[in-house]
Amino acid sequence: MRTIQEITAALPNLSTDELRHIERAIRDLYRARHETIIYDDDYGIWTEQDQISVAAEVFQTFEKDEDLEDNVDA
């Protein structure tokens, strides 16, 4: 089995059709594994992990903004 690094390195060399095929295969695996999927349609899926990751990024942005405001007030 290939390592994640090998697979990642090979992705840019694939055609768009090949990438779409891989994306479909990955979505099918998520479904088969009954992963917690919040959103699922022809364009792709949005998992619980995606939601958690984006929420963490948003909160980091909020914290940076608050830090900037605190520095301006000081």
Side-chain angles (χ1 to χ4, degrees):
M1 170 141 186
R2 294 182 179 224
T3 66
I4 292 174
Q5 292 83 7
E6 290 173 320
I7 294 168
T8 303
L11 291 175
N13 300 321
L14 299 177
S15 70
T16 300
D17 286 338
E18 290 170 323
L19 289 172
R20 286 185 182 124
H21 178 81
I22 289 171
E23 185 178 14
R24 278 191 304 273
I26 291 170
R27 286 190 314 232
D28 291 344
L29 283 171
Y30 281 134
R31 291 177 185 126
R33 293 177 180 184
H34 304 289
E35 290 292 322
T36 305
I37 297 174
I38 296 171
Y39 190 78
D40 185 359
D41 66 7
D42 290 340
Y43 297 104
I45 59 172
W46 188 259
T47 66
E48 184 176 302
Q49 184 60 38
D50 294 326
Q51 187 72 24
I52 291 167
S53 176
V54 169
E57 288 180 35
V58 169
F59 285 120
Q60 285 178 350
T61 301
F62 287 160
E63 288 174 3
K64 287 178 186 175
D65 288 348
E66 287 176 358
D67 289 344
L68 288 174
E69 288 177 13
D70 289 344
N71 289 337
V72 169
D73 292 339

